[in-house]
């Protein structure tokens, strides 16, 4: 989220809550809207969903909300009101902004001007971030809401990105008069070189901010809650647009997902796989077999004479994702008993004895 976003967007209106709404109301409003607008349920409503998510992202975070409120207040008066010392001349700033609007204006104000200086918050696109998360096999199939802890560089909270200690503001450099460049005469030539007093920024910070030591930037940890879509597979990289570093537009967040194996179920693309141990008698005679699925069991009918290793397709019991629904591939495997009761042993011996006669029958 950039300062431009803050200045231009009404996050309270986006969530339909008053400006003094308590955090619980904000959460409630968001949940209701998010459920209504979720793209899975409401195709085409993605812009509005994004708007609501963005609003919630800011208003649910006390520090961000304070920052937002302050930025809005700053702008409600029609322009920057700080720096009564006159270092920020509104007309001058508008002149420099070149008609580019809020983002250029704030880009100049919150970072150094004229290059050279860091611009922790400005009109540049925010950088992309990458992180990872691990899901259980079933959570990956169902989709899951996860909390991700992210580190990114943003404007320092203490000085709001100016680099100057609270109560002070950067001064126009007295050597270059804010130009960032000084002219030097060398023989017949005159040329401009970066001002060494201000390192080309045009401004000097007399009392650096104690938090960021004058850089205006701060590494910030934040925790965001994101929805990993249903059907994500192991090793997949998911792009969450606009969830990266602050900027205009904000960068994207890439989440690499690790999916843990399941003791029973496996996966082949959109199909799930399962191995089902079945007694020899049932494969030979035919019968029903209980096959585990993601949600309970289904009954599979195997015909008489089913060979071990045969795979049956259970329609629609595979991976469900936006792309569609896969099948469950159930492979039956002969289970050989390791212990036999007397009755079982006698029956098998009789079977084996009968086998000689059976083999004489031409197949
Ligand atoms: Zn600072
Ligand atoms: Zn200078």
């Amino acid at each position: 989220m950039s300062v431009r976003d803050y200045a231009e967007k009404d996050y309270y209106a986006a969530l339909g809550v008053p400006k003094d709404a308590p955090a619980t109301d904000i959460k409630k409003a968001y949940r209701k809207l998010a459920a209504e607008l979720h793209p899975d349920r409401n195709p085409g409503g993605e812009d509005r969903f994004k708007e609501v998510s963005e609003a919630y992202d800011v208003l649910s975070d006390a520090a961000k909300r304070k920052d937002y409120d302050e930025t809005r207040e700053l702008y409600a008066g029609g322009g920057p009101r700080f720096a009564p010392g006159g270092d920020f001349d509104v007309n001058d700033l508008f002149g420099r902004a070149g008609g580019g609007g809020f983002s250029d204006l704030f880009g100049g104000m919150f970072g150094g001007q004229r290059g050279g200086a860091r611009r922790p918050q400005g009109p540049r696109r925010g950088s992309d971030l990458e992180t990872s998360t691990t899901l259980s096999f079933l959570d990956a199939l169902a989709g899951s809401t996860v909390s991700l802890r992210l580190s990114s560089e943003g404007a320092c909270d203490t000085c709001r990105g100016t680099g100057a200690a609270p109560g002070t503001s950067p001064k126009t450099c007295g050597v270059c008069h804010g130009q960032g460049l000084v002219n030097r005469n060398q023989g017949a030539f005159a040329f401009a070189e970066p001002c060494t007093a201000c390192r080309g920024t045009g401004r000097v910070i007399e009392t650096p901010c104690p938090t960021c030591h004058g850089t205006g930037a701060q590494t910030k940890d934040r925790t965001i809650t994101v929805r990993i879509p249903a059907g994500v597979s192991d090793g997949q990289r998911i792009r969450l647009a606009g969830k990266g570093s602050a900027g205009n537009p904000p960068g994207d967040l890439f989440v690499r997902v690790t999916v843990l194996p399941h003791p029973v179920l496996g996966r082949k693309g959109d199909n799930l796989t399962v191995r089902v141990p079945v007694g020899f008698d049932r494969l030979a005679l035919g019968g029903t077999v209980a096959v585990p699925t993601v949600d309970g069991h289904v009954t599979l009918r195997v015909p008489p004479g089913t060979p071990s290793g045969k795979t049956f397709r259970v329609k629609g019991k595979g991976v469900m994702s936006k792309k569609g629904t896969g099948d469950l591939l159930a492979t039956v495997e002969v289970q050989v008993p390791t212990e036999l009761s007397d009755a079982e042993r006698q029956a098998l011996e009789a079977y084996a004895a009968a086998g000689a006669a059976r083999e004489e029958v031409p197949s």
Side-chain angles (χ1 to χ4, degrees), residues 173-182 195-204:
C173 175
V175 175
C176 62
H177 307 287
Q179 297 304 304
L181 296 169
V182 287
C195 172
T196 50
C198 62
R199 280 174 295 156
T201 62
R203 296 199 270 153
V204 282

Side-chain angles (χ1 to χ4, degrees), residues 131-133 148 228 236-238 240 253-257:
T131 186
S132 60
T133 190
L148 301 171
I228 305 291
Q236 201 176 325
R237 196 163 167 259
I238 291 177
L240 297 159
L253 172 64
F254 291 91
V255 184
R256 191 171 292 282
V257 180

Side-chain angles (χ1 to χ4, degrees), residues 51-262:
E51 179 187 293
V52 165
S53 305
E54 184 182 321
Y56 183 66
D57 186 53
V58 172
L59 297 186
S60 60
D61 181 314
K64 280 191 203 168
R65 184 179 178 183
K66 183 167 170 276
D67 211 35
Y68 173 70
D69 288 343
E70 285 171 5
T71 305
R72 297 282 294 175
E73 201 183 317
L74 182 73
Y75 238 83
R81 282 202 307 248
F82 56 85
D87 288 310
F88 289 97
D89 178 88
V90 174
N91 293 324
D92 186 24
L93 281 163
F94 272 114
R96 281 180 206 161
F102 291 148
S103 62
D104 289 341
L105 176 62
F106 276 111
M109 281 161 51
F110 280 82
Q113 300 150 338
R114 302 182 204 298
R118 280 217 272 188
R119 302 174 74 174
Q121 200 166 28
R124 291 182 317 173
R125 181 179 184 279
S127 55
D128 292 339
L129 298 178
E130 181 139 6
T131 186
S132 60
T133 190
T134 300
L135 297 181
S136 75
F137 191 87
L138 295 180
D139 281 350
L141 293 180
S144 184
T145 301
V146 296
S147 288
L148 301 171
R149 195 164 176 76
L150 304 175
S151 280
S152 61
E153 195 166 270
C156 170
D157 286 332
T158 307
C159 61
R160 302 185 41 122
T162 66
T168 70
S169 50
K171 305 276 180 241
T172 302
C173 175
V175 175
C176 62
H177 307 287
Q179 297 304 304
L181 296 169
V182 287
N183 290 316
R184 247 177 70 178
N185 294 313
Q186 187 114 48
F189 302 99
F191 59 94
E193 63 177 19
C195 172
T196 50
C198 62
R199 280 174 295 156
T201 62
R203 296 199 270 153
V204 282
I205 293 163
E206 286 171 342
T207 320
C209 164
T211 307
C212 65
H213 308 290
T215 63
Q218 190 181 29
T219 301
K220 290 180 177 177
D221 282 340
R222 61 191 166 114
T223 302
I224 64 165
T225 302
V226 297
R227 180 82 189 153
I228 305 291
V232 64
S233 56
D234 185 39
Q236 201 176 325
R237 196 163 167 259
I238 291 177
R239 175 173 168 266
L240 297 159
K243 293 283 189 184
S245 287
N248 189 19
D252 297 334
L253 172 64
F254 291 91
V255 184
R256 191 171 292 282
V257 180
T258 300
V259 179
L260 299 175
H262 189 270

Side-chain angles (χ1 to χ4, degrees), residues 7-28:
E8 292 182 346
K9 294 183 181 174
D10 190 342
Y11 291 144
Y12 292 100
L15 291 178
V17 294
K19 203 176 162 299
D20 57 357
T24 49
D25 287 4
I26 286 172
K27 195 169 185 176
K28 236 183 266 170

